Amino acid sequence: MDGRPYLTMYNMQQQRLISYQEETQERGPRDAPEWEIWIHIKAVDTSLYPNIVNQSYWQRAPKKQQAKDLVARQVLLALGLTPNEFK
C-alpha cells in the first residue's frame, strides 16, 4: 500500500479540508478478531474536492491499523487523490 492513507486523511481533517466521523467495531472470535472501520463524511472543501458529504465508507481487516488505512484509501480515491499523494 502506498504511503499512509489514514495519516493523510487525518491531516486533511486537521487542515479543515474534510470532516469525518469514525466508527470502529471489533468482530469475530477473541482468538481471531477482525476490525471493521466506518468513515462517515460530514464536510468537504468543495472548492478543492468532489462533494462526497453524507457518504460512508468501510473496510474490514485482521489488524485495526490495516482496516483504517484501507478505508482511508477509499475516501482519498473518492476525493480524487492518487496513491502517490498519500503521505
Side-chain angles (χ1 to χ4, degrees):
M1 187 175 301
D2 299 300
R4 287 292 305 271
Y6 185 80
L7 184 58
T8 300
M9 187 178 70
Y10 174 81
N11 288 338
M12 290 175 73
Q13 179 164 258
Q14 297 293 40
Q15 297 167 5
R16 300 181 191 269
L17 298 173
I18 64 170
S19 175
Y20 61 88
Q21 178 184 353
E22 183 179 318
E23 185 181 333
T24 303
Q25 296 178 6
E26 185 178 5
R27 298 183 175 273
R30 291 185 190 269
D31 62 336
E34 186 172 62
W35 291 93
E36 182 175 287
I37 308 290
W38 285 80
I39 299 292
H40 307 287
I41 306 299
K42 301 295 179 191
V44 175
D45 181 344
T46 55
S47 68
L48 299 172
Y49 303 105
N51 187 356
I52 61 169
V53 174
N54 296 324
Q55 293 191 36
S56 296
Y57 301 85
W58 68 276
Q59 280 290 337
R60 285 186 187 160
K63 294 184 179 178
K64 189 175 186 179
Q65 188 60 52
Q66 182 184 15
K68 285 182 171 189
D69 280 333
L70 288 170
V71 72
R73 187 177 203 287
Q74 282 184 311
V75 171
L76 296 173
L77 291 173
L79 289 170
L81 276 71
T82 65
N84 293 337
E85 296 174 284
F86 303 167
K87 295 176 177 73

